[in-house]
Amino acid sequence: MSTVIHTNMAATLPEAAGHAAAEGVIDLLPEPAALVGGDGRILHANGAFAAHLGQPRGALAGRPLAELSTAPANELAAYLGRCAGTLQPIPGGLALRGAEGADTHLVCEGAAVRGASGAVLLRCRPRPQAAPSFAVLTEKVHALTREVLRRKDLEAGLRRSEERLRLAVALARLGTWDLDLADDTMIVSERCRVLRGLPQNVPVGSPMDRAVFEATIHPADRHIRAEAIAGILADETPDYTVEYRVLHPTDPMEHWVAESGRAAFEDGMPVRLFGTTLDITQERRAAEHQRLLINELNHRVKNTLATVQSIAMQTLRHTPAPEAFRAAFTSRLAALSQAHNLLTETQWLGADLRTLIELETAPHETAERSRVRLSGPPLRIGPKAAVAFSLAFHELATNAAKYGALSVPQGWIEVTWSLADAGGGERRLEVRWRERDGPPVAPPTRRGFGSRVIEQGLAYDLNGSIQLAFEPEGVRCAISVPYRALERDGQE
């Protein structure tokens, strides 16, 4: 900005008017004007002068003019000296610095003030600035172009970052939400709406009532989220991650989500909560299934050890001779092992009754003809029933090989089973073991471990009834078990 100084009115001041009159005249002038003392300090300046330089008016009084001028001190002093010596305006040029340090170009006219020894009155008017050169304009265009390109690069980088974030959220199958704490409204993404089981009419991307969102949380778990949010609002933690159940109106199965949230603050106060929702239903179900499997494994190991212990004690009681004990005990462990192997193939979900009988009687079959003939419908029985039947059939086959039909070449065994209606809506499994064409059979003089396994094992484990008859034409065994006992998994 440029200024011209006029002092032609300095000579019109009354003689001996002095500083006071000059200051009064300066305050009445619309253009910038100042009174400078003989020592080069500003004595008085009007508001236009102070505003022109961007300086507080009160800060100018007593300030050396040299602090505002870019002219050398000797040149400034010489110019002011010439002005102080005449009442006629002396034109000249001064460059003054504004408040921000930018040069303010002035064209000045100064003259002495009548009655104010050594004082100079300066009057200023703006001078049109010279048009910038072509080089200056070119540089400004280049600078503007660089700034536009820089901003475009920033915007493109921001768009790429947002796209990567959207892609990451989509691939992670995350739902997002935004809670405005001022009015308790929330904005949810489409994925979040689906995960939470929110109705179709819930607006996606538009504010919704917070209560609608929180109504999807299982009543027993609502305190989990509430306590996590309270901790953030109390500035106890910067963020949180919690897991809880949500209710789906069209799906009765239990659904689990993991929610993470973080607060945004303004002036130290939380104003918003941002977060994500992730479906962890399958992970929760897998963890629960694993827990059940571990418990089941522990239970079965205990049962197996108890069974082995019982077999060992009973075998030892009835076969005290070491060699006989070893053969009998090993044979019975093999039967138990075969049942376990069969159950392992089905992940302990059960075993087919026909396959179970075939495994226990296979060592007694010959290539010439079948010595064990089976007849019955396909039937899968539970793990506990499979172990009990496996041990029972092993004892029946072992007894037949030692004393019964399987001890002679022409002997054979018929095994049949069926499901019969027992009345009252109850069904029972009826199994018949019958030995044929074997040597004459006589009842044993004492009950051995095999008989105990058959008669007491099935009765105790499956609440069944067993009739074991040693008839002259061959052993007959009738087994009757409630069907519901076959379906139990043995976890009692």
Side-chain angles (χ1 to χ4, degrees):
M1 185 180 293
S2 299
T3 306
V4 176
I5 300 179
H6 295 284
T7 56
N8 51 2
M9 67 174 293
T12 65
L13 293 174
E15 190 168 351
H19 292 176
E23 290 175 2
V25 171
I26 288 173
D27 288 338
L28 294 175
L29 294 176
E31 68 269 23
L35 182 66
V36 181
D39 58 357
R41 295 180 179 272
I42 299 174
L43 301 176
H44 187 74
N46 65 5
F49 187 87
H52 182 78
L53 294 177
Q55 299 281 349
R57 186 177 178 184
L60 291 174
R63 186 172 180 179
L65 186 63
E67 292 183 1
L68 303 175
S69 174
T70 60
N74 59 339
E75 293 182 10
L76 177 62
Y79 174 74
L80 293 178
R82 292 196 303 272
C83 292
T86 177
L87 295 177
Q88 297 299 321
I90 298 178
L94 293 177
L96 303 182
R97 285 182 290 269
E100 300 300 326
D103 289 346
T104 303
H105 295 282
L106 306 175
V107 176
C108 307
E109 287 185 348
V113 178
R114 188 188 300 275
S117 177
V120 175
L121 176 62
L122 301 177
R123 290 182 66 187
C124 313
R125 60 181 174 79
R127 182 185 69 181
Q129 293 183 351
S133 66
F134 179 77
V136 172
L137 288 176
T138 301
E139 177 56 32
K140 288 184 176 181
V141 170
H142 289 169
L144 180 60
T145 302
R146 288 193 295 269
E147 178 63 18
V148 170
L149 293 176
R150 186 184 71 84
R151 293 189 179 186
K152 284 186 174 295
D153 288 341
L154 289 176
E155 292 173 357
L158 180 60
R159 286 194 299 270
R160 289 193 296 269
S161 178
E162 291 175 346
E163 182 61 29
R164 286 194 297 269
L165 177 60
R166 283 193 295 268
L167 181 61
V169 168
L171 291 176
R173 302 184 66 78
L174 289 172
T176 59
W177 52 266
D178 175 0
L179 169 61
D180 189 332
L181 296 173
D183 57 10
D184 258 4
T185 59
M186 299 189 71
I187 296 177
V188 300
S189 67
E190 173 62 20
R191 177 63 179 166
C192 183
R193 186 195 66 76
V194 172
L195 291 180
R196 307 294 301 224
L198 291 166
Q200 289 284 350
N201 59 357
V202 167
V204 174
S206 300
M208 58 175 284
D209 194 283
R210 174 181 178 178
V212 176
F213 181 88
E214 294 183 342
T216 63
I217 304 176
H218 193 287
D221 293 351
R222 288 174 185 169
H223 71 282
I224 298 175
R225 185 175 193 267
E227 292 170 1
I229 292 179
I232 277 197
L233 299 185
D235 202 19
E236 296 174 357
T237 56
D239 48 38
Y240 71 87
T241 297
V242 293
E243 297 180 0
Y244 54 81
R245 291 166 291 176
V246 294
L247 305 174
H248 281 229
T250 59
D251 188 353
M253 294 185 65
E254 193 173 73
H255 289 259
W256 283 83
V257 297
E259 177 180 298
S260 298
R262 174 168 292 185
F265 293 82
E266 289 183 6
D267 299 326
M269 297 295 294
V271 293
R272 305 184 78 84
L273 280 177
F274 305 90
T276 60
T277 299
L278 175 65
D279 184 3
I280 59 169
T281 302
Q282 295 302 323
E283 290 81 352
R284 277 281 184 165
R285 291 175 182 170
E288 178 64 16
H289 183 62
Q290 184 180 42
R291 185 186 67 82
L292 292 175
L293 286 178
I294 291 174
N295 290 341
E296 184 178 350
L297 177 62
N298 290 335
H299 181 81
R300 286 175 178 164
V301 168
K302 292 179 181 178
N303 285 349
T304 301
L305 291 177
T307 301
V308 171
Q309 183 183 33
S310 176
I311 291 174
M313 293 178 63
Q314 293 294 336
T315 303
L316 183 61
R317 180 179 303 169
H318 295 281
T319 53
E323 289 301 324
F325 167 79
R326 179 163 51 186
F329 183 63
T330 302
S331 174
R332 285 161 180 162
L333 286 186
L336 182 63
S337 174
Q338 287 184 1
H340 280 228
N341 289 340
L342 184 60
L343 289 170
T344 301
E345 293 177 0
T346 63
Q347 299 182 352
W348 281 79
L349 297 177
D352 178 67
L353 182 60
R354 175 184 291 271
T355 304
L356 191 68
I357 299 173
E358 288 174 346
L359 281 175
E360 297 303 335
T361 58
H364 310 289
E365 290 286 8
T366 62
E368 292 77 14
R369 65 187 182 93
S370 175
R371 303 195 68 187
V372 181
R373 302 171 190 179
L374 309 179
S375 176
L379 180 64
R380 180 174 292 274
I381 59 178
K384 186 173 184 178
V387 172
F389 271 108
S390 177
L391 291 175
F393 286 127
H394 171 75
E395 294 300 331
L396 286 170
T398 301
N399 184 73
K402 288 182 176 180
Y403 313 109
L406 298 181
S407 65
V408 294
Q410 71 276 13
W412 58 283
I413 298 173
E414 178 185 23
V415 183
T416 62
W417 65 91
S418 63
L419 289 174
D421 187 358
E426 182 181 1
R427 292 191 301 168
R428 298 182 71 87
L429 171 64
E430 305 291 343
V431 180
R432 300 290 182 265
W433 172 286
R434 180 175 299 176
E435 298 183 17
R436 298 182 181 277
D437 297 337
V441 174
T445 57
R446 62 182 180 87
R447 295 290 189 182
F449 176 61
S451 298
R452 293 177 182 273
V453 169
I454 298 170
E455 294 177 333
Q456 298 178 12
L458 290 173
Y460 175 78
D461 290 335
L462 304 179
N463 194 28
S465 62
I466 295 88
Q467 294 178 355
L468 184 59
F470 294 88
E471 299 177 355
E473 60 270 19
V475 173
R476 294 172 181 249
C477 183
I479 303 171
S480 179
V481 177
Y483 182 73
R484 62 179 181 276
L486 303 176
E487 298 177 316
R488 291 201 297 265
D489 61 2
Q491 293 298 313
E492 296 89 342

